[in-house]
């Protein structure tokens, strides 16, 4: 895989390093005055599929993480006491360091509606601000009407009223995607999707979807960014249109001559 690892002391001096270049999981061992350690790196096509673990000679895990993208994690050597280990101490955040005992303000935490199960309730006439910064992948959100799910999104829930519903990020002028599903979070069914809405009014490759809702049905709306994404702030607008009663010639018996 070509993954590289570096072990350095608090002064930044590299004490051990190596390259893991096999096609599958590989382990490397190195020894320091404090003892011998083993680095294990799993295989993967993309960085997000790779994880690493550092263990002692007895197999005890002293540090581990994911996505070896150049980031670092601090930890205390086995037997060390009184060490200050800065890092993210919030277990709910994406870069939580279980070894850290001093929060350094580096936490990157997902939005509260990062997952479908925590979707924020919205309704007709509502305008809400949101962000995908820090969001995580959505495994249950598949391709909908030809629009792929390519970056982490955030979730909203709308209860149908029987109206025609317009969901839009057009007021944001940022490059987004919108997916609308029915069903439940574990079995989502595609209703509507859009990558780039009509311009005007949707500048900046923002998005807009229209669908006719059914009364009492829960609709799950996922807002995400185009491409792999780095996270964006956006405004989500919900408008509803009452299409009125059925036309007078709705039945065959009432057909116009």
């Amino acid at each position: 895989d070509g993954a590289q690892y570096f072990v350095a002391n608090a002064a930044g001096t590299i004490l051990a390093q190596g390259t893991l270049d096999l096609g599958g999981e590989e382990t490397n061992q190195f020894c320091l005055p404090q003892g011998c350690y083993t680095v294990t790196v799993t295989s993967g096509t993309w960085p997000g599929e790779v994880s690493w673990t550092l263990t002692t000679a007895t197999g005890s895990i002293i540090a581990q993480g994911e996505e070896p993208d150049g980031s670092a994690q601090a930890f205390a050597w086995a037997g060390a006491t009184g060490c200050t280990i800065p890092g993210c101490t919030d277990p709910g955040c994406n870069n939580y360091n279980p070894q850290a005992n001093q929060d350094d303000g580096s936490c990157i935490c997902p939005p509260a509606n990062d997952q479908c199960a925590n979707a924020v309730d919205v309704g007709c006439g509502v305008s809400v601000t949101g962000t995908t910064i820090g969001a995580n992948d959505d495994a249950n959100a598949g391709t909908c009407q030809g629009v792929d799910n390519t970056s982490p999104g955030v979730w909203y829930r709308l209860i149908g009223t029987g109206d025609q519903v317009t969901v839009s990020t057009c007021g944001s002028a940022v490059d987004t995607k919108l997916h609308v599903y029915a069903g439940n979070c574990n079995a989502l069914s595609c209703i509507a999707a859009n990558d780039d809405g009509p311009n005007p009014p949707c500048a900046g490759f923002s998005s807009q979807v229209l669908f006719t809702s059914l009364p009492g049905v829960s609709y799950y709306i996922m807002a995400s960014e185009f491409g792999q994404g780095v996270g964006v702030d956006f405004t989500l607008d919900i408008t509803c249109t009452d299409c009125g009663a059925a036309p007078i010639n709705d039945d065959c018996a009432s057909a116009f001559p």
Side-chain angles (χ1 to χ4, degrees):
D1 299 312
Q4 293 180 301
Y5 71 87
F6 301 90
V7 180
N9 61 18
T13 303
I14 294 177
L15 306 177
Q17 66 184 76
T19 301
L20 307 174
D21 54 8
L22 297 181
E25 179 177 294
E26 186 179 357
T27 60
N28 275 6
Q29 187 181 69
F30 63 92
C31 294
L32 300 173
Q34 295 86 351
C36 292
Y37 301 87
T38 299
V39 176
T40 301
V41 178
T42 63
S43 63
T45 303
W46 305 104
E49 299 173 345
V50 178
S51 62
W52 60 270
T53 305
L54 179 66
T55 58
T56 65
T58 60
S60 298
I61 296 175
I62 59 174
Q64 59 187 345
E66 298 179 350
E67 299 188 28
D69 56 0
S71 59
Q73 182 178 125
F75 58 91
W77 293 113
T81 59
C83 294
T84 298
I85 308 299
C88 175
T89 60
D90 187 340
C93 294
N94 298 334
N95 60 331
Y96 168 60
N97 181 355
Q99 301 292 326
N101 55 22
Q102 181 185 78
D103 197 293
D104 62 359
S106 66
C107 289
I108 302 173
C109 306
N113 57 337
D114 180 38
Q115 298 300 317
C116 177
N118 297 320
V120 171
D121 286 327
V122 293
C124 296
V126 168
S127 179
V128 295
T129 57
T131 184
T132 63
I133 296 174
N136 294 293
D137 291 334
D138 306 277
N140 293 330
T143 298
C144 181
Q145 294 187 346
V147 180
D148 293 334
N149 171 24
T150 58
S151 67
V154 290
W155 292 85
Y156 302 86
R157 185 181 70 154
L158 171 76
I159 304 300
T161 60
D163 295 337
Q164 177 179 282
V165 179
T166 302
V167 182
S168 170
T169 61
C170 296
S172 309
V174 293
D175 200 351
T176 57
K177 291 183 179 182
L178 288 172
H179 291 75
V180 180
Y181 304 92
N184 62 68
C185 290
N186 294 320
L188 296 168
S189 175
C190 168
I191 298 296
N194 178 251
D195 183 357
D196 301 328
N199 184 11
C202 297
F205 304 104
S206 50
S207 312
Q208 177 176 281
V209 294
L210 288 82
F211 65 97
T212 300
S213 66
L214 297 176
V217 173
S218 292
Y219 295 94
Y220 293 93
I221 303 164
M222 186 183 75
S224 61
E225 188 180 0
F226 175 78
Q228 292 187 347
V230 295
V232 292
D233 298 324
F234 61 89
T235 300
L236 187 76
D237 296 305
I238 312 289
T239 56
C240 299
T241 302
D242 184 353
C243 295
I248 60 175
N249 60 335
D250 183 50
D251 297 324
C252 178
S254 302
F256 288 152

